[in-house]
């Protein structure tokens, strides 16, 4: 009996010590969590209403941003140039735009842009130059001298169309380029105000259904096969001032992109956010989604810009890529 009492007396201090250790550990964990908090828990992202946004919509609705301590609001622009301008002016924190416009902003000195997260690359038949039955355009050779709609000059729509025309010996300099918002192109085709248009999804499938549009050429073929199309960017100042927010955004987008391989999770998001009906969502061709930026792959964009004479000197893509989190 005395021995058992002695054992109990010894056990009490040991138990107290164990509780103290656990409490200290919890305190340290709480402090670590606080120290790791993002600089900006609420951020705004300028976007285009295209299928490229599917992983971001999934990150919003699937809780991937929330898990990283982020609340992400979106600001819809009519073109990649507009989303880029909203980001560089400080109206929004980040922007989804075409890579061509990010590199042009850097090259011209308009903005010190950093590429934050990958968006999409062109998959076969996801980005096409289309026409309608009453148009004089029947083949790619017919594009010379015609009116072709693009989202904005030097955007992916412009650069990819010019590249594929060049591959087929058609002079892009003899085309009348007509910048207009992507949702308006189908109606302009049907009304004969333009002869052809560059259409990505979901506008591509919508144009086929509403205007009888059909492809003249796959814009992501030849020199532009699997071409990097869109990504998310921020100013170098924002990246420098918000390193934890940057990493949190990247992690959320990485996890959402991995989850986006399940088409069943993507189609409802496209229906709700891109305002397309279920038939269009089920028929359209998805682009190739990505998250982590690879400098060698992205280098294709400024190299093509230089080949087309859009920029005069080589731009080093690696110098524009913000520090990356994970792989994907």
């Amino acid at each position: 009996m005395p021995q058992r009492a002695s054992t109990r007396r010894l056990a009490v201090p040991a138990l107290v010590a164990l509780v103290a250790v656990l409490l200290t550990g919890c305190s340290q964990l709480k402090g670590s969590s606080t120290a790791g908090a993002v600089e900006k828990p609420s951020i705004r992202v300028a976007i285009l209403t295209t299928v490229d946004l599917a992983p971001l919509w999934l990150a919003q609705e699937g809780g991937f941003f929330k898990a990283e301590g982020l609340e992400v609001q979106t600001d819809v622009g009519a073109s990649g140039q507009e989303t880029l301008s909203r980001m560089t002016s400080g109206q929004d924190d980040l922007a989804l735009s075409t890579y061509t416009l990010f590199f042009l902003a850097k090259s011209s000195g308009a903005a010190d842009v950093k590429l934050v997260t990958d968006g999409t690359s062109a998959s076969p038949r996801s980005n096409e130059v289309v026409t309608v039955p009453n148009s004089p355009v029947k083949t790619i050779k017919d594009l010379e001298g015609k009116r072709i709609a693009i989202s904005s000059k030097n955007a992916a729509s412009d650069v990819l169309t010019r590249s594929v025309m060049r591959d087929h010996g058609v002079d892009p300099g003899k085309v009348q380029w007509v910048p207009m918002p992507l949702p308006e192109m189908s109606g302009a085709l049907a009304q004969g105000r333009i002869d052809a248009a560059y259409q990505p999804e979901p506008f591509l499938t919508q144009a086929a259904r509403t205007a009888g549009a059909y492809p003249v050429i796959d814009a992501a073929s030849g020199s532009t096969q699997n071409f990097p199309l869109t990504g998310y960017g921020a100013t170098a100042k924002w990246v420098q001032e918000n390193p934890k927010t940057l990493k949190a955004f990247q992690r959320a987008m990485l996890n959402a992109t991995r989850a986006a391989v399940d088409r069943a999770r993507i189609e409802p998001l496209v229906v709700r956010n891109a305002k397309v009906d279920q038939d269009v969502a089920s028929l359209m061709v998805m682009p190739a989604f990505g998250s982590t930026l690879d400098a060698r792959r992205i280098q294709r964009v400024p190299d093509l810009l230089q080949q087309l004479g859009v920029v005069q000197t080589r731009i080093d893509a690696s110098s524009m890529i913000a520090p990356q989190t994970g792989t994907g």
Side-chain angles (χ1 to χ4, degrees):
M1 290 295 291
Q3 287 181 343
R4 282 196 292 272
S6 175
T7 301
R8 282 197 298 271
R9 285 195 297 270
L10 289 172
V12 171
L15 180 61
V16 171
L18 176 60
V19 171
V21 169
L22 290 174
L23 289 174
T24 301
C26 290
S27 175
Q28 289 175 343
L29 181 60
K30 183 177 179 181
S32 174
S33 177
T34 303
V38 297
E39 300 87 358
K40 292 196 70 174
S42 179
I43 61 175
R44 286 170 59 87
V45 182
I47 64 167
L48 298 165
T49 308
T50 68
V51 181
D52 305 73
L53 266 295
L56 183 134
W57 292 328
L58 184 56
Q60 283 182 310
E61 298 186 25
F64 295 103
F65 284 136
K66 185 178 181 181
E68 295 293 343
L70 289 178
E71 178 187 352
V72 176
Q73 299 176 329
T74 53
D75 184 17
V76 180
S79 68
Q81 186 60 61
E82 186 175 331
T83 60
L84 177 61
S85 297
R86 291 181 186 185
M87 179 269 287
T88 55
S89 69
Q91 178 177 335
D92 296 321
D93 298 288
L94 297 98
L96 174 84
S97 189
T98 57
Y99 283 120
T100 55
L101 295 177
F102 283 132
F103 282 107
L104 283 171
K106 177 72 172 180
S107 175
S108 66
D112 190 2
V113 175
K114 290 294 183 183
L115 303 176
V116 170
T117 305
D118 193 18
T120 57
S121 296
S123 56
R125 303 187 312 282
S126 64
N127 297 262
E128 296 184 314
V129 178
V130 301
T131 189
V132 288
N134 62 348
S135 168
V137 174
K138 305 301 178 186
T139 70
I140 190 169
K141 297 291 186 182
D142 299 325
L143 290 176
E144 197 167 291
K146 302 302 189 301
R147 300 162 298 173
I148 305 178
I150 54 173
S151 61
S152 62
K153 185 170 177 58
N154 293 327
S157 56
D158 179 22
V159 171
L160 266 66
T161 303
R162 281 197 278 163
S163 176
V164 77
M165 288 173 66
R166 186 188 62 171
D167 287 348
H168 288 79
V170 181
D171 187 356
K174 295 181 179 179
V175 164
Q176 181 182 343
W177 301 100
V178 185
M180 68 172 61
L182 290 166
E184 296 179 14
M185 293 182 187
S186 177
L189 275 170
Q191 296 160 15
R193 292 188 283 120
I194 54 175
D195 303 306
Y198 174 98
Q199 292 276 263
E201 294 287 17
F203 306 103
L204 182 59
T205 299
Q206 285 178 313
R209 288 169 57 86
T210 61
Y214 63 91
V216 176
I217 189 73
D218 187 343
S221 59
S223 301
T224 52
Q225 185 175 4
N226 303 318
F227 198 74
L229 289 178
T230 64
Y232 295 85
T235 62
K237 181 175 183 291
W238 190 92
V239 168
Q240 184 176 7
E241 292 177 351
N242 301 280
K244 295 175 184 176
T245 309
L246 168 71
K247 295 295 185 185
F249 182 83
Q250 290 174 334
R251 285 192 298 267
M253 289 300 294
L254 172 61
N255 291 329
T257 301
R258 286 172 172 167
V261 297
D262 182 2
R263 186 174 177 121
R265 300 188 68 175
I266 295 301
E267 287 186 14
L269 296 173
V270 174
V271 171
R272 286 196 298 273
N273 297 290
K275 307 300 187 229
V276 302
D277 61 39
Q278 182 58 53
D279 288 343
V280 171
S282 62
L283 290 171
M284 66 184 184
V285 178
M286 294 289 183
F289 300 117
S291 57
T292 302
L293 293 158
D294 177 77
R296 290 172 298 178
R297 187 177 69 84
I298 302 300
Q299 187 64 47
R300 293 180 63 191
V301 181
D303 287 352
L304 179 60
L305 291 174
Q306 188 176 6
Q307 291 165 18
L308 293 175
V310 178
V311 298
Q312 302 306 311
T313 58
R314 187 177 187 275
I315 305 171
D316 180 14
S318 64
S319 68
M320 289 179 59
I321 295 178
Q324 297 291 290
T325 295
T327 58

